Amino acid sequence: MQRRSWVALCLLFVCLQWLQAGEPRLTLAVKQAPIEKVLLEVERQSGLRISFESSLLLHVRPVTMDVRDATLSLCLYDLFHGYEIDWIITEKYLILKRKGEVFSSGQDTLRLISLQEFVVNADSLRHAATLTDEPGHEILSGGRIQQIPTFMSQPDLVKSIQQLPGVALGTEGMAGMYVRGGNNDENLFLMDGMPVYQVSHVAGLFSAFNPDAVESLSFFKGFFPAKYAGRLSSVTDIRTKQGDLRRFHGGVGLGLIQGNAYLEGPLIKDKLSFHFSMRRSWADLITAPTFAIMNKREFWGKGDGYNARYSFHDINGRMDWIQSERSRWSLSVYSGDDFFKIHGWDGSSSSDEYEQEDKYKIRWGNFATALNWNYRVNPKFQSLFTASYTRYRSKLFYSQQEHYYNVDYIESQTVSGIDDGRLSWQFSYRPNRRNRIQGGISARIQGFRPEYMEEGTFAGDEMTEESVQVKTQNALRMIGNENVLYLSDRFYATDRLTLDAGLAFATFYLKRKLYTSLQPRLSMRYLWNENWSTKLSYSRMSQPVHLIPSTYLDLPTDVWLPSTDKVRPSVSDQVSAGIYFSPSRTYSFALEGYYKHQQHLADFKPWVGRLPDGMPWEDKLTDGTGRSYGLEFIARKETGKLTGWTGYTLSWADRQFADINGGRRFPSRYDNRHKFNVVASYKLSKRVELNASWVYTKGNWITLLPNNSSPTNYAIRNNYQLPDYHRMDLGINIYRPSKKHPGRMGIWNVSIYNVYNRRNYILAWPESTDRNNPNLVKVRHLALFPIIPSFSYTYKF
Amino acid sequence: MKKRKIIVSLFALLGLASCWEDVEVELDLGEPQLAVSDIGLAVGEKIRIAISPDPVVNWDSVLPFYEQTHARLWVNGREETLHLRLIEDSLQLNPYNPYYNCFFESDCIAREGDQIRIEASHDGYAPIVAENTVPSVVPIESVSYTFHEDTIWFQSSIDFQLTFRDKPGEVNYYGLSVCQWLGENEIFPSSEFGTSGYGYIYTDGEGRYCSYGRLDTSKEPIIKFRPGTVDYIVDEYTSMYADFFDDSEIDGETYTLHLSYSSLYSEIQWYKPDSTGSLYMDTTFIPDSLYLQVDLISLSQDDYYRNISNWAARGFLSESFAEIGLTDPTQLYTNVKGGTGLLSARNISRHIIRLKNPKSEPEPDVFPERVD
């Protein structure tokens, strides 16, 4: 009997080992840390997404534990024994629940629940954890992005970030980002390590990031970890979704502007998965046949016709391979494109012998790919290799052909773009409980083609493709090389004091000119008690590439320009400090101040053309400084039926260039002194969710003269502030799980943009001037976006 | 025009139910400035400078304004006396603009290489300082041409090649000006205007009547300022080529420009208003010869930059977008510190092409006399 018991025990032990062999293994060393922070670390190490009902962790006390290479189950037991909390581990989720709570039916229900409610609530985990991290750091999940009501029911990543304090709205409807007084090009967007250069569609109405593909994003605006370099004002680090390793999921959606679809699933169970998503506008599917019918009916005149088309698309793809417990690979691909075309022809309506045909085409977009290899050498040492390539192109084409006895033909094409290839290696090392050392090196090659132009002409009897004489201009590509070496240490000096000290060393080389930059990054957090903390940080950033807009819009004709011997890299120094209060897990408050000083900002000289012409672009630019400072306040409610945040920003931002505004300081275009934000989400029931947002901001600055025609003698910049801007958006999400097919769900979204139809003027120009007083001008203000209802439907399976 | 309508329609479509509102506002335009107007320092002529308020509020107050303006001139470091001149007629640079009725004139004749400096002040305005150097002339070595006769509309064209040698070792800037002389001055009344069909007649600095047709520099690769793709989309006017260039590609070399000039008028029709104000044709004049004046202008760097800003201002972005407040208007380049305008300096090398007027030949008889 004793022998049988011994054998049974051994067998049980072996079985348990066998079962636990498949579980993630974790190393946790924390002291008096909030449970949310611990769970975030669990999530990061295990690769599972943690989901829980919002009030579940309210009574969990700060945690002290020190385990190495322990199984997930053991860690969870250590964390929650003594509490009425239980858990379920699925292939993708770790779901925390109350002990005794029963789910009605197996895996399908779990998947359904995780699709709908709990995923959203996981945001509270992230938000609370940010109280203990660097100043100016926000984390948003794909779910939170989808909650915020937006233009034409299209969730938008950049517009979600615009709802945060410190981020200016820019021009209404456009996706530009202006963070703490910075310009639009001062924001680094990384998608799985791939930089993205053109982040908008439709001249900025929508951003280039498909929320269906976004898992989460980290947004930095105050302190920048040493691993980030190359931009002055913000870093948005986007992680795309990994495919489910066990089952296939997907969804399709249709809105007023676009349709989207996604599919994920295993290629090899538990080893290799994929996630694919795409979206495409569909307006051209209607305009093309409409124009065809109008042409056939000679609507424009006999022999005349038009054809117009606009479309955009995004494709995101990702494959993940778990090679072993230590080794993981992922391959990400992104392709996004906009295409606009007008084709008109003038036939026999004007004259039997005369014909004319005009074509206009513009295409712009990104292609990016990244291969990441994550290798855990041992529980203390992890490394990440990344190889990425990004290509951005913008092409503007025009041709005109006239046929009047002979053929006269002219065509012109302007191409600009940037190719960016990068190799990097990063490591994370925890020698002991008090230190987390991170470091890395990256090498990047960038090819710039700022102002390539082709011009073709023909005059004669019969034209063929070969007979067109083509001349090129600015055909040479400029090759730049950027290298970054960084090292940082997060040091837990005491239980209350955390220090983050890092240094990045960057070099940029182009056309025999080498720039170097030493960029210290320092951050300190002091925890007064479990409710109060203060943070202080300093960051120096350098930016060797510039995107200087030719208009107030974010247009594809804007060109990325490198630093050269005539154009220096921009540099910024930013100090941030804040005080943070979190009386409970439900509420949190933060008050943060900052001061940022920028040098070697580039802008066009006021007397040059902003599009490619005969003047070398380097000679068109002038060098100046900028400064911005302000206070940001945010109050959040994380749990309960009603969640959301309200924020207020008081800020100043100005610029000074010797060649502009007579050398006098002038306000930055987006120097909006006050900004209020309210974002709220209310769960009416398990299936109905109401969302609302309201924003108020002072108007943007523009240059307004008695007569805005060019050229002008006035040396004035940004002398007029548009009227105040405010807007409310409402949205409702209705979740309809399928009764016949568990695990499937339809989601209706109805949104109203600008609910009370506020006329928010985004443009203004002079109409007439008083003859006796040129300063007194009648100004016409134009608002573009009235109340716009919209809806979309998404089906998930 | 058709192309602009397409672009405006697109914006209107985007706007859907866009709306507008007019509001009267008091703009901050900064302090009023003094402006140096673009009279130009021409070699061999007295130095003349016009200084006016910017903006000009009341044209009638120009003379009193000049009388209260203190201006000083230095040439090569030596101060020269300036006299205030008032001429009833215009300076005949632009007869419609009384802006140039007053000016400061020096007895000093401008020469190559002269370094000119002016200072001016006026109560209520910031003082201004402007400097420039008169560039040396680059002579035209030769001009050859091919005349294309148009016997239907009598608007002929001419292809011509202009050869010159750039001065080595220094940065040189050039401009081109081509115009047609229209005949002897005594034929035309001095105070009336006329039209030669498709253009207008101007008087040049020497009081001769000229017509400025279309100078086509498209075949000339040295002209780097070419229309961009967006300019082609807008309209033909902005798709014209520039008439200025620098010597970055031809430093010290002998170079031949290939140019074309169209709208050479063989017949001048002179119109007068009748008692009702309508114009009627009064005179038709057919000169025996056509004269084409070709100027190779040596520009100062400031004049070159001024050309660049004028070129930039005629673009689609600068014109249309600036007019609706989508971009900052292009500012005219200025070398006047504390003010605006341009202290211009240039030197001209001139060549006159004389052509037989094809219309001055007697027309063949449609029904020739029968010879038995």
Side-chain angles (χ1 to χ4, degrees), chain A residues 15-312:
Chain A
C15 286
L16 280 171
Q17 289 297 311
W18 178 73
L19 283 169
Q20 289 178 358
E23 274 193 55
R25 303 189 79 85
L26 314 176
T27 297
L28 297 169
V30 293
K31 193 170 178 182
Q32 288 297 305
I35 182 64
E36 290 85 358
K37 188 179 176 193
V38 180
L39 289 175
L40 260 187
E41 186 62 20
V42 168
E43 193 177 71
R44 189 186 69 78
Q45 290 190 33
S46 66
L48 298 172
R49 287 175 64 185
I50 298 181
S51 310
F52 55 92
E53 191 268 322
S54 54
S55 61
L56 195 63
L57 303 179
L58 282 179
H59 303 293
V60 177
R61 292 182 292 278
V63 172
T64 297
M65 68 189 292
D66 189 351
V67 294
R68 291 185 192 281
D69 204 31
T71 63
L72 176 61
S73 299
L74 193 61
C75 293
L76 292 173
Y77 177 80
D78 275 352
L79 283 173
F80 296 122
H81 78 270
Y83 295 101
E84 292 296 307
I85 294 176
D86 204 349
W87 59 87
I88 297 172
I89 303 174
T90 71
E91 58 273 7
K92 209 173 169 182
Y93 293 98
L94 165 61
I95 300 171
L96 307 178
K97 66 180 190 68
R98 286 191 173 76
K99 273 186 181 168
E101 190 174 4
V102 175
F103 291 128
S104 53
S105 65
Q107 298 296 320
D108 288 341
T109 302
L110 286 173
R111 191 188 320 127
L112 170 67
I113 291 169
S114 59
L115 278 175
Q116 181 184 336
E117 184 174 339
F118 292 95
V119 172
V120 172
N121 284 332
D123 282 336
S124 65
L125 183 85
R126 296 184 174 87
H127 279 136
T130 63
L131 294 181
T132 61
D133 286 345
E134 313 84 351
H137 180 196
E138 299 283 345
I139 300 177
L140 290 174
S141 69
R144 173 61 83 184
I145 293 166
Q146 307 234 10
Q147 272 185 317
I148 297 174
T150 53
F151 184 70
M152 302 303 281
S153 291
Q154 303 306 321
D156 191 279
L157 185 147
V158 172
K159 289 189 172 48
S160 303
I161 297 174
Q162 286 177 344
Q163 301 284 351
L164 298 170
V167 184
L169 287 185
T171 303
E172 182 182 19
M174 309 303 169
M177 243 170 56
Y178 308 90
V179 182
R180 289 188 170 176
N183 295 329
N184 189 34
D185 66 329
E186 294 171 14
N187 307 302
L188 177 64
F189 288 92
L190 294 170
M191 194 189 309
D192 292 338
M194 317 179 275
V196 179
Y197 285 93
Q198 174 60 257
V199 299
S200 58
H201 294 299
V202 201
L205 274 177
F206 307 106
S207 73
F209 304 107
N210 183 354
D212 280 341
V214 173
E215 169 73 35
S216 69
L217 68 90
S218 286
F219 176 65
F220 299 89
K221 61 180 174 176
F223 172 75
F224 304 97
K227 65 179 178 179
Y228 297 118
R231 297 291 186 276
L232 301 187
S233 288
S234 80
V235 174
T236 305
D237 195 347
I238 300 163
R239 296 287 147 189
T240 59
K241 288 180 180 169
Q242 299 179 39
D244 193 319
L245 282 164
R246 282 290 183 98
R247 285 185 175 76
F248 286 95
H249 303 284
V252 290
L254 192 64
L256 288 181
I257 295 282
Q258 66 189 37
N260 51 278
Y262 78 92
L263 184 66
E264 61 171 313
L267 292 170
I268 301 172
K269 266 193 181 173
D270 296 325
K271 278 284 186 184
L272 184 65
S273 69
F274 76 96
H275 190 285
F276 174 83
S277 63
M278 71 167 287
R279 65 176 176 176
R280 191 195 186 281
S281 64
W282 52 266
D284 59 320
L285 302 177
I286 292 179
T287 59
T290 304
F291 274 107
I293 293 169
M294 291 169 80
N295 293 335
K296 192 155 179 158
R297 294 192 173 186
E298 296 182 342
F299 179 82
W300 318 98
K302 191 178 175 191
D304 297 353
Y306 281 104
N307 201 348
R309 196 189 135 201
Y310 175 77
S311 68
F312 72 84

Side-chain angles (χ1 to χ4, degrees), chain A residues 205 306 340 342 346 358 360 396-398 400 402 410 412-414 453 455 471 473 550-553 555 606-615 659 703-706 708-720 759 761 763-767 771-784 786, chain B residues 2-3 6 10-11 14-30 33 35 54-55 57 218-221 223-234 236 241 305-306 308-314 316-319 321-334 339-341:
Chain A
L205 274 177
Y306 281 104
F340 176 66
I342 294 183
D346 213 354
D358 295 294
Y360 320 83
L396 177 62
F397 173 83
Y398 167 76
Q400 184 189 74
E402 287 180 320
I410 187 160
S412 174
Q413 176 164 260
T414 306
M453 254 187 76
E455 193 181 272
K471 290 181 218 170
Q473 211 171 348
S550 46
T551 69
Y552 298 155
L553 305 176
L555 288 180
W607 50 271
V608 301
R610 292 175 175 226
L611 288 177
D613 55 24
M615 191 172 187
D659 292 328
T703 303
L704 198 61
L705 304 176
N708 255 24
S709 41
S710 295
T712 176
N713 280 329
Y714 287 103
I716 298 278
R717 180 64 63 91
N718 294 346
N719 62 325
Y720 178 70
R759 288 185 196 177
Y761 300 115
L763 294 177
W765 61 85
E767 278 289 303
R771 283 173 61 91
N772 297 318
N773 181 5
N775 291 36
L776 199 60
V777 179
K778 186 165 85 169
V779 178
R780 177 154 294 180
H781 297 78
L782 182 75
L784 279 184
Chain B
K2 194 174 166 184
K3 297 172 194 180
I6 293 170
L10 284 171
F11 274 100
L14 181 67
L16 298 169
S18 62
C19 54
W20 48 268
E21 183 184 0
D22 289 346
V23 178
E24 207 161 67
V25 298
E26 182 98 23
L27 290 180
D28 173 17
L29 298 174
Q33 305 174 99
D54 185 78
V57 176
S218 60
K219 294 182 188 57
E220 188 42 64
I223 304 283
K224 290 180 290 199
F225 285 84
R226 316 175 91 73
T229 309
V230 175
D231 299 315
Y232 282 119
I233 291 173
V234 176
E236 290 175 6
Y241 285 66
Y305 286 166
R306 182 75 155 199
I308 291 175
S309 67
N310 275 315
W311 173 264
R314 106 266 179 268
F316 176 59
L317 273 188
S318 298
E319 275 202 305
F321 271 23
E323 281 175 13
I324 60 172
L326 270 177
T327 189
D328 301 308
T330 301
Q331 188 187 324
L332 270 177
Y333 175 82
T334 179
T340 186

